[in-house]
Amino acid sequence: KRIDTVIDEIRGNKYKKWIFYDPNFLADRNYAKELLNKIIQLKKSEKKGLKWTASATINIGNDLEILELMKKFGCIGLVIGLESFVQENLDGVNKKFNNVKEYKKLVKTIQSYGISVLATLMIGMETDTVESIREIPNIIQEIGVDIPRYNVITPYPGTPFFEQLKREGRLLTEDWFYYDTETVVFKPKNMSSDTLQKEFYKLWIDTFTFKRILRRVKTSRNKGLKFILEMFSRQHALKFGKYKKVKF
């Protein structure tokens, strides 16, 4: 959208909390910078106490100028696709720009501007094992992510991953009803599909125990928001408590 159009929408709206749904808020840095400066001016002139969230890549942690502008504009959280803690997995899905060794430093930098990090990870990638999946809650704790969210990697039609799995005879179904990012619809390389499904459910439950939740909330800058999101995620995790094998 034109920047003036975005400003007019915010100016003419009574709401003070916003979500920018662009997949990557900084895909066009110059646009993002101009937009942020315009909204900062709007806040000063009309005394709008705006709070907002958006999506970005982890590399925003290297852009201190933009982080400072985001802080001034009222950014309270970013959804960031870390995707995996195994570099080989990232390289295999064209995310080489994500450097696992940099995760902890970049997360801390983003948080130092008062911005929470809501990280998404894909489970069931080609080099994932039972052991690597079970280690994820500990890594989340070590890196200091505020809220993690997990999805089973899903081979959507038209993607290279879908074509690869179909070519290798590893698709379990082509009924799109099951392509919901929480159901395993393919045969993983290092475990059975049933095992991956169970480990996915277990990962959610293990991550959102009260002990882990309290530990994460304790270190958060946005404790109120953090606790609400943690409890929402815990409720989501509890629905996985009784595993039922999916029958296609």
Side-chain angles (χ1 to χ4, degrees):
K1 287 184 178 182
R2 289 166 50 93
I3 288 177
D4 288 343
T5 301
V6 177
I7 296 298
D8 287 342
E9 287 183 6
I10 294 174
R11 178 182 286 117
N13 205 299
K14 64 180 180 180
Y15 298 109
K16 294 184 178 181
K17 294 181 180 179
W18 292 76
I19 300 175
F20 289 89
Y21 278 108
D22 192 296
N24 181 3
F25 188 77
L26 278 184
D28 183 336
R29 187 181 185 278
N30 291 332
Y31 176 95
K33 185 176 177 181
E34 184 179 351
L35 175 61
L36 289 168
N37 278 312
K38 286 285 184 69
I39 297 179
I40 290 169
Q41 292 171 18
L42 177 66
K43 285 185 68 177
K44 289 179 178 178
S45 63
E46 301 191 14
K47 297 182 180 180
K48 277 185 171 286
L50 302 175
K51 300 292 183 184
W52 61 282
T53 61
S55 298
T57 69
I58 187 62
N59 294 310
I60 195 174
N62 289 316
D63 198 330
L64 304 188
E65 180 186 10
I66 289 290
L67 286 173
E68 183 62 34
L69 288 174
M70 294 172 83
K71 178 183 178 181
K72 288 181 180 178
F73 171 25
C75 180
I76 59 174
L78 289 172
V79 178
I80 295 178
L82 297 184
E83 313 304 5
S84 177
F85 295 130
V86 179
Q87 191 64 48
E88 188 179 349
N89 279 337
L90 296 169
D91 295 347
V93 294
N94 296 320
K95 280 217 165 187
K96 292 183 179 181
F97 54 83
N98 272 21
N99 185 343
V100 174
K101 293 180 180 179
E102 297 273 303
Y103 280 178
K104 184 174 183 178
K105 180 191 76 172
L106 295 177
V107 166
K108 296 298 183 188
T109 299
I110 294 167
Q111 291 170 332
S112 71
Y113 286 83
I115 300 171
S116 295
V117 175
L118 292 78
T120 61
L121 289 103
M122 294 190 291
I123 310 304
M125 299 175 79
E126 294 292 75
T127 64
D128 280 348
T129 63
V130 170
E131 292 74 23
S132 68
I133 293 172
R134 290 185 178 180
E135 188 59 25
I136 288 173
N138 294 328
I139 301 175
I140 289 289
Q141 211 78 42
E142 168 64 21
I143 289 176
V145 165
D146 289 285
I147 299 285
R149 184 170 181 86
Y150 309 120
N151 295 304
V152 172
I153 186 169
T154 302
Y156 290 113
T159 62
F161 190 44
F162 178 88
E163 297 303 326
Q164 175 195 334
L165 295 178
K166 190 165 186 176
R167 188 170 57 249
E168 295 173 356
R170 292 167 58 195
L171 287 176
L172 297 175
T173 181
E174 291 189 45
D175 183 341
W176 313 136
F177 174 81
Y178 295 103
Y179 283 54
D180 59 3
T181 74
E182 291 187 345
T183 304
V184 179
V185 295
F186 67 98
K187 299 174 184 175
K189 275 195 171 181
N190 299 315
M191 66 194 86
S192 69
S193 58
D194 187 50
T195 297
L196 176 56
Q197 191 72 69
K198 289 179 180 178
E199 290 300 323
F200 173 70
Y201 292 162
K202 183 177 187 300
L203 174 60
W204 267 96
I205 294 168
D206 288 352
T207 298
F208 292 98
T209 62
F210 278 120
K211 183 178 180 179
R212 289 187 186 277
I213 287 174
L214 292 174
R215 194 178 299 167
R216 287 192 294 268
V217 169
K218 185 178 180 180
T219 59
S220 175
R221 289 171 177 261
N222 301 314
K223 288 183 170 57
L225 173 65
K226 178 71 177 293
F227 185 73
I228 292 171
L229 292 174
E230 289 276 7
M231 294 310 296
F232 177 82
S233 297
R234 177 174 167 79
Q235 288 302 310
H236 186 73
L238 290 177
K239 77 176 187 178
F240 298 133
K242 294 183 179 180
Y243 169 74
K244 294 182 179 179
K245 187 172 182 178
V246 179
K247 294 182 180 180
F248 300 116

